[in-house]
Structures are given as C-alpha cells and as structure tokens.
Amino acid sequence: MNATWDSTADGVLRLPSGLLVRGRGLRKPLPAGPVPAFALHLRGRRPAPVAWESRWVRWPDFWLPTDRAAFADALRELMARAGRERVEVACGGGLGRTGTAVLDGLPPADAVAHVREHYARRAVETPWQRRFVARFR
C-alpha cells in the first residue's frame, strides 16, 4: 500500500519532513474516510480492538509513557510506516498524548509550537509532557 492521508483532512498533521499523520481521540467517533493501515494507541489501559494493525503503549491520561523505550520504538515504527501507509496516533481525547507523540526531528523548542499551530492549539497539555518533548531523543 502506498497511500497517505489527504493533507487537508481533519486531524491530519503534515510534519516538517512532509510525512502525514492523523491524530484522533479514541473517545470520539471514527472520522469519515479511509481507515489507517497502522495506529499507535497511547492509553493507560488497553484500547478496544480495531480492524487495522495497531500498537498500544501504556500512557496514562495527562502523564507520560510508563515505558519510554517501548514508546520510542513504537514511534520509530509509526514514522517509518508514515511514508508508505496511512498512520494515526490516538489517545483518549486526541490532544495531550497524541500531540506529544508527533515528533519529527524538530528542535525541542519548536516541536510543541509546530504541533499546536498545525494540529490542535491545546496539544501537549501538561508541563511534564512539554518537558518530555524537550528531552526526547
């Protein structure tokens, strides 16, 4: 599959590299249109199964991932697949954890501002999520 998202679709963020990633809240209805080939779910407990391939990283609401190495590995997989498939990052509301997870080689000082400008103005909700972005490698 060599499909990517429509860059004008709701919730789709164009990263500085040109990759497209859809962000969404799992508590909201599934958006209209094509489904992803792969999803990274960031939740405190295992999310409901979906019809496409997904990976779950335990990440309680408003906090940080419980296993940072697992998160880094899952994020690398998401980014590698984003060039050839539709991918999404999803958490409960689609803002804090989802916004924190969309890292694309931006300088830490610019990453949060980029996500807030191009995805959701309230993305990366807590001070420790902002600090996590600044220190992520």
Side-chain angles (χ1 to χ4, degrees):
M1 178 179 192
N2 195 16
T4 57
W5 299 108
D6 173 356
S7 63
T8 62
D10 191 36
V12 174
L13 172 64
R14 179 177 297 280
L15 299 171
S17 65
L19 295 175
L20 299 173
V21 176
R22 181 173 77 182
R24 77 175 180 101
L26 293 170
R27 292 189 302 259
K28 300 174 185 172
L30 185 66
V35 298
F38 177 76
L40 174 56
H41 292 163
L42 308 172
R43 298 282 310 229
R45 57 192 142 137
R46 186 173 301 278
V50 291
W52 49 89
E53 188 178 352
S54 66
R55 188 164 172 184
W56 169 54
V57 172
R58 185 182 302 275
W59 187 330
D61 201 8
F62 298 109
W63 293 99
L64 298 175
T66 59
D67 183 337
R68 293 176 191 214
F71 168 70
D73 184 58
L75 186 60
R76 281 190 294 273
E77 179 180 3
L78 177 94
M79 299 304 282
R81 294 177 75 161
R84 63 184 189 276
E85 300 172 322
R86 289 183 181 97
V87 299
E88 75 174 8
V89 177
C91 65
L95 294 173
R97 294 165 286 182
T98 294
T100 302
V102 182
L103 302 165
D104 188 42
L106 288 166
D110 300 336
V112 173
H114 180 84
V115 170
R116 286 179 172 173
E117 180 181 345
H118 299 284
Y119 171 64
R121 65 180 178 79
R122 291 182 19 226
V124 193
E125 294 175 299
T126 67
W128 39 93
Q129 289 173 344
R130 289 190 296 277
R131 192 168 39 250
F132 179 74
V133 170
R135 295 179 180 164
F136 185 80
R137 300 283 175 247

